């Protein structure tokens, strides 16, 4: 996970300033033009996504990854079965 994020950041960093900003603007545009009917949750938060930076994305991704590892460990120990009972 960390290696992939580092590789992505390295490839982004070598772009010139114009290309970096163009990439960021493209992502913002894609979020803002997503169909609210098909992606209602995305449409609701799309204006806020522009404020999220690469560090926030990395921390969120690592957090989700570690939560998944923890959940699998709990299941392997027989804990947390109330999560899978529903």
């Amino acid at each position: 996970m960390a290696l992939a994020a580092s590789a992505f950041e390295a490839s982004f960093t070598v772009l010139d300033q114009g290309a970096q900003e163009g990439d960021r603007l493209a992502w913002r545009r894609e979020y803002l033009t997503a169909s609210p009917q098909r992606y209602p949750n995305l449409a609701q938060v799309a204006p806020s996504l522009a404020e999220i930076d690469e560090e926030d994305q990395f921390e969120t991704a690592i957090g989700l990854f570690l939560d998944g590892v923890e959940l699998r460990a709990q299941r392997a120990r027989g804990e947390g079965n109330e999560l899978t009972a529903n």
Side-chain angles (χ1 to χ4, degrees):
M1 186 89 190
L3 182 58
S6 297
F8 176 79
E9 185 174 345
S11 66
F12 185 78
T13 301
V14 299
L15 298 174
D16 63 60
Q17 291 276 16
Q20 288 179 9
E21 189 55 31
D23 192 61
R24 287 186 184 106
L25 288 173
W27 278 104
R28 289 180 194 140
R29 185 176 47 251
E30 292 299 317
Y31 288 134
L32 291 171
T33 60
S35 166
Q37 290 76 30
R38 187 165 184 187
Y39 306 104
N41 295 331
L42 178 59
Q44 186 175 9
V45 299
S48 302
L49 292 176
E51 300 169 15
I52 298 172
D53 63 15
E54 290 82 7
E55 188 174 323
D56 294 328
Q57 294 169 12
F58 178 74
E59 288 178 11
T60 299
I62 289 292
L64 290 169
F65 177 77
L66 293 174
D67 288 348
V69 170
E70 181 180 17
L71 182 58
R72 284 182 177 234
Q74 288 173 352
R75 287 180 179 167
R77 292 189 304 262
E79 303 170 10
N81 290 329
E82 65 278 357
L83 296 175
T84 58
N86 295 330

